[in-house]
Amino acid sequence: MAIIERVFSGVQPTGNLHLGNYLGALVNFVKLQATYNCLYCVVDLHAITVPVPGGPDELRRNIREVTAAFIASGIDPRKQIIFNQSQVPEHAELTWVLNCVARLGWLNRMTQFKEKAGKDRENASIGLYDYPVLMAADILVYRATHVPVGEDQKQHLELSRDIAQKFNNDFSESIAAHGHGDKFFPLPEPVITGPATRVMSLRDGTKKMSKSDPSDYSRINLTDDADAIAQKIRKAKTDPEPLPSEEKGLETRAEADNLVGIYAALAGKPKSEVLCEFGGAQFSGFKSNLVDLAVAKLSPIAAEMKRLTADEGYVDSVLIDGADRARAIASETMDAVKDIVGFIRKR
Ligand code: TYM
């Protein structure tokens, strides 16, 4: 089995997909499809590591909404693979094997678990703790080489690399004996690029834009209409100074930096170019331009998401077809893993 270059990434169906998800992840998903074979996964197994507030119906709605967002952003489901994780049982199966490779000490360092579990750690689910191993399995079951994500997923990707490396070392003799050379899993490369790898809250430039922020004004949702987008940008926190002409001038100005990053990512330009254009301008003028740009880019996506989510039959057919194609790859990896580890299987 030769290693083929392949892209994998996932998005949780937990509601409120926002501009951070779009600029930090989806925009890069779309770009990468021009040069790679890609798998984009709605990670529903991850979504149940914390309680789903509206229950099973809400989970189903959210799965369809993320699928719609993938397609509306420009991912072609005929050329690439779009699917939901729970339809490919090999993700959970490989997780078990990798649970026996990963070390407790590695997981204890995961900052996202600490943040999500909060003070009541004893009451967090085992799934929430094991979340990063499932994430490693998601990537490694396709032996993916490139993983586009936002900055917040960097630590999880480093862990995926450590797990891959340890599996390759622990089973090196068996890997060679089964004809896979000196390594079975490639070490996945994080792809964290663009001017908006960490989009911040519109209310507080030191906090990440997030699905779970209680204030809806902190984020632009992908389903927001033009009026909501305009209002949220006009109310976004800023400082009294005009915009600087160079990037250095943004260093101590978190809110200004965030809005310039958002503009740059939406316009597909570097921040330096945005500052060339707006350096010296007041925020009121800059915000009007940002509203126009954001509405022009995001409104068609919101409209397409609405159209797609109304067509459950089509969305579900995309997921079923994608899962069949994903499974063909995943089962091949899992068969090889079983041979490497020493399990007996039907041939
Ligand atoms: P999730 O669902 O929280 O977020 C999906 C993607 O959006 C990015 N993102 C952001 N980027 C920039 N600024 C922000 N404020 C922002 N908020 C979110 C995330 O970095 C991510 O790329 N654990 C993952 C899902 C996952 C996964 C995987 C990703 C499961 N298995 C395997 C890659 C590979 C998560 O919770 O993403």
Side-chain angles (χ1 to χ4, degrees):
M1 260 168 98
I3 289 175
I4 318 170
E5 295 221 314
R6 190 178 274 146
V7 168
F8 179 92
S9 197
V11 174
Q12 288 203 69
T14 38
N16 288 334
L17 271 186
H18 53 69
L19 189 63
N21 300 126
Y22 180 65
L23 297 178
L26 294 175
V27 166
N28 290 329
F29 293 4
V30 174
K31 273 195 201 136
L32 288 165
Q33 67 177 344
T35 33
Y36 291 96
N37 290 324
C38 307
L39 295 115
Y40 294 125
C41 183
V42 186
V43 291
D44 47 11
L45 298 178
H46 282 90
I48 62 165
T49 55
V50 292
V52 180
D57 286 338
E58 184 175 310
L59 182 58
R60 269 185 286 273
R61 220 174 12 255
N62 289 341
I63 293 170
R64 292 188 179 114
E65 192 173 285
V66 174
T67 310
F70 283 172
I71 302 169
S73 301
I75 298 163
D76 183 345
R78 283 160 308 176
K79 296 205 180 110
Q80 310 302 339
I81 298 179
I82 295 179
F83 70 108
N84 60 315
Q85 195 182 21
S86 60
Q87 293 207 71
V88 181
E90 285 79 3
H91 289 245
E93 205 178 359
L94 182 60
T95 299
W96 184 257
V97 175
L98 299 182
N99 274 339
C100 301
V101 172
R103 305 289 91 183
L104 213 59
W106 299 357
L107 286 184
N108 285 341
R109 283 198 288 274
M110 295 297 113
T111 52
Q112 196 156 311
F113 173 75
K114 290 181 196 159
E115 278 163 27
K116 286 201 178 171
K119 288 202 178 81
D120 196 7
R121 243 169 113 160
E122 294 288 305
N123 207 23
S125 73
I126 310 266
L128 188 66
Y129 184 73
D130 201 32
Y131 180 115
V133 182
L134 176 59
M135 192 166 151
D138 296 339
I139 300 166
L140 299 178
V141 85
Y142 302 101
R143 306 208 303 158
T145 50
H146 295 80
V147 185
V149 282
E151 177 75 37
D152 61 337
Q153 294 301 315
K154 200 170 167 202
Q155 192 186 35
H156 286 161
L157 277 206
E158 280 158 10
L159 182 85
S160 300
R161 291 169 65 90
D162 290 343
I163 293 175
Q165 174 102 56
K166 186 160 190 300
F167 181 93
N168 290 340
N169 290 346
D170 289 357
F171 295 100
S172 59
E173 278 175 31
S174 184
I175 287 171
H178 284 91
H180 302 295
D182 62 353
K183 67 172 185 215
F184 179 68
F185 288 125
L187 304 191
E189 283 292 334
V191 182
I192 303 176
T193 56
T197 56
R198 189 175 176 80
V199 176
M200 307 309 275
S201 154
L202 298 179
R203 308 300 290 159
D204 177 351
T206 63
K207 264 175 42 191
K208 193 180 70 171
M209 184 177 285
S210 124
K211 293 171 182 172
S212 55
D213 194 312
S215 163
D216 200 48
Y217 275 92
S218 68
R219 65 183 159 260
I220 293 174
N221 301 304
L222 283 190
T223 48
D224 281 347
D225 61 19
D227 283 349
I229 295 174
Q231 258 196 23
K232 288 176 180 181
I233 292 178
R234 290 209 183 95
K235 282 191 187 250
K237 188 175 168 201
T238 50
D239 58 45
E241 301 296 313
L243 282 161
S245 333
E246 287 179 16
E247 271 187 87
K248 201 156 171 37
L250 293 173
E251 274 171 14
T252 51
R253 299 174 63 188
E255 284 83 15
D257 188 27
N258 191 37
L259 292 183
V260 171
I262 291 173
Y263 190 104
L266 285 171
K269 308 176 173 169
K271 284 195 219 174
S272 56
E273 244 176 74
V274 177
L275 293 178
C276 264
E277 203 179 325
F278 292 100
Q282 297 297 330
F283 273 107
S284 51
F286 175 70
K287 280 183 170 178
S288 296
N289 282 278
L290 181 54
V291 167
D292 291 346
L293 178 63
V295 169
K297 292 277 172 185
L298 301 177
S299 291
I301 296 176
E304 183 63 357
M305 279 175 71
K306 202 164 171 192
R307 192 186 70 78
L308 287 165
T309 44
D311 190 351
E312 282 181 10
Y314 170 70
V315 171
D316 292 4
S317 74
V318 165
L319 293 174
I320 292 167
D321 171 62
D324 284 344
R325 286 152 64 209
R327 206 164 174 196
I329 307 170
S331 64
E332 210 183 314
T333 307
M334 209 49 227
D335 282 349
V337 166
K338 287 178 181 167
D339 292 343
I340 290 167
V341 169
F343 295 153
I344 292 172
R345 66 179 174 92
K346 189 172 155 200
R347 283 173 193 274

